[in-house]
Amino acid sequence: MGSSSLGLHHWSVLASQRAILPQNSAKPLQKFHSLPTTVTVACIATSRASSVRCHLGCFGFTAFNRKLRKSVRGCATNPFVVANDEKYGNKQVISITPQVYDYILANVREPEVLRQLREETASMHGSQMQVSPDQAQLLAMLVQIHGAEKCIEVGVYTGYSSLATALVLPESGSLVACERDGRSLEVAKKYYDKANVSHKVHVKYGFAADALRSLILSGEACSYDFAFVDADKRMYQEYFELLLQLVKVGGLIVFDNVLWHGKVADPEVNDAKTVSIRNFNTSIMQDKRVSISMVPIGDGMTICRKRQPHNKS
């Protein structure tokens, strides 16, 4: 599930990019030579620019060298990244720092019941799996824009994203919520009741793939408007194939953690989950059955829209 600690780990995507930091720092980054991957960083002070090469190993926030974290914090509060490929026109794209992310969170319209659920979840084991408030707000808006009435969520945890979805569904709307962790599911149910949306949520306790197959066998193929997946990363491709059968043409399927703390962009990181997500991203990029958009929010989300099948000639 999603990582909600969205601070400095966003620097992970800077390998093979140039990071340009604005004129609010007088401290240049130091040189670190302990790890292999190279990132070029320019700290632009008010009077001069000082460029350095920072060698980073693993792309995740936890892999950052302590000194590097300290230097990055001191170097700038509002950095930008620019793709190495000049054919992209040196477009400056903001990179999320703790200061910027705090600003984003301050501009999220988070309902009180969601705030309460978030704060309760924060004290639980695995709280990093909860989607962030800005992600939940985006999911709710997608549901509203699409006019969705029938939704599916694969991987509920304590229910933050499913509750955000249920809150914006019409009274006649429904959400199938698939979760195999009974303890976290009890927390979710408590908040469904508290928010008066329990009548909209149909909990499927157990393995999500089994629940999805059951829906297909019961005649619900091509009847859902929206699906969100934040579960076992090694199952993403299977979830995609099942959900593609369940959503209507024009329906949306959203996958969380597609950037996986930046590890997917590092060819030297090849653990099972990273490889699974990397392969899924490659597969879905080439899949003409859907239109896609990878969005760098949270730990990365890919929004898929089911396309009309081409007529076979």
Side-chain angles (χ1 to χ4, degrees):
M1 293 193 174
S3 169
S4 58
S5 55
L6 298 181
L8 289 173
H9 79 250
H10 279 267
W11 281 80
S12 64
V13 298
L14 298 184
S16 76
Q17 294 179 323
R18 287 168 289 158
I20 298 180
L21 313 181
Q23 298 181 3
N24 59 353
S25 170
K27 293 183 179 180
L29 287 179
Q30 303 170 32
K31 287 186 179 181
F32 301 100
H33 301 283
S34 58
L35 297 166
T37 305
T38 300
V39 178
T40 302
V41 179
C43 295
I44 304 176
T46 53
S47 59
R48 63 186 179 86
S50 176
S51 296
V52 299
R53 296 174 67 80
C54 300
H55 296 266
L56 312 177
C58 182
F59 274 71
F61 173 83
T62 56
F64 269 67
N65 181 289
R66 183 178 300 174
K67 292 182 180 179
L68 179 58
R69 288 205 306 267
K70 182 177 179 181
S71 295
V72 171
R73 287 181 184 274
C75 185
T77 58
N78 191 28
F80 294 86
V81 297
V82 179
N84 270 343
D85 189 343
E86 294 183 356
K87 293 179 182 178
Y88 287 98
N90 293 315
K91 173 66 177 179
Q92 293 183 349
V93 181
I94 194 166
S95 180
I96 306 300
T97 64
Q99 183 180 29
V100 172
Y101 189 56
D102 285 344
Y103 183 82
I104 291 172
L105 290 177
N107 284 277
V108 172
R109 296 177 178 176
E110 184 181 39
E112 176 63 19
V113 68
L114 282 177
R115 182 193 64 78
Q116 293 173 10
L117 172 55
R118 171 174 54 80
E119 292 181 354
E120 179 172 336
T121 303
S123 63
M124 295 175 57
H125 174 72
S127 61
Q128 76 281 356
M129 296 190 295
Q130 180 176 250
V131 300
S132 57
D134 48 321
Q135 286 181 286
Q137 182 173 255
L138 175 60
L139 291 171
M141 180 168 285
L142 289 173
V143 169
Q144 290 177 300
I145 291 172
H146 195 60
E149 295 188 359
K150 291 185 67 177
C151 302
I152 301 174
E153 178 157 323
V154 177
V156 171
Y157 187 44
T158 58
Y160 191 88
S161 52
S162 56
L163 180 55
T165 298
L167 285 170
V168 299
L169 282 174
E171 281 301 302
S172 59
S174 64
L175 169 65
V176 174
C178 305
E179 176 58 53
R180 65 181 183 181
D181 184 342
R183 182 174 297 180
S184 61
L185 197 53
E186 287 306 311
V187 177
K189 289 178 179 178
K190 180 176 72 174
Y191 279 90
Y192 298 152
D193 289 338
K194 193 169 188 176
N196 297 314
V197 296
S198 292
H199 61 289
K200 302 180 187 179
V201 184
H202 306 285
V203 173
K204 300 288 186 180
Y205 174 55
F207 292 103
D210 293 339
L212 299 180
R213 291 190 192 98
S214 178
L215 292 175
I216 294 169
L217 292 173
S218 63
E220 296 197 52
C222 298
S223 67
Y224 287 85
D225 305 298
F226 179 89
F228 175 55
V229 182
D230 188 6
D232 187 349
K233 312 313 168 191
R234 292 163 293 190
M235 293 286 290
Y236 268 24
Q237 189 64 45
E238 183 170 353
Y239 292 146
F240 173 71
E241 294 297 337
L242 292 169
L243 289 168
L244 204 58
Q245 297 178 59
L246 285 164
V247 300
K248 303 172 181 177
V249 170
L252 303 180
I253 309 172
V254 182
F255 288 86
D256 195 18
N257 302 114
V258 294
L259 293 179
W260 199 233
H261 318 297
K263 294 178 184 179
V264 290
D266 186 351
E268 296 187 5
V269 179
N270 291 294
D271 61 274
K273 289 185 179 180
T274 301
V275 170
S276 294
I277 298 174
R278 185 183 294 137
N279 290 343
F280 173 73
N281 289 341
T282 300
S283 174
I284 208 169
M285 177 69 177
Q286 300 169 349
D287 198 321
K288 302 304 180 184
R289 296 173 295 174
V290 291
S291 302
I292 65 168
S293 179
M294 182 181 284
V295 183
I297 185 173
D299 195 25
M301 297 170 70
T302 294
I303 303 168
C304 311
R305 181 178 182 273
K306 183 176 176 178
R307 302 173 67 178
Q308 182 73 45
H310 292 295
N311 294 326
K312 295 182 179 180
S313 55

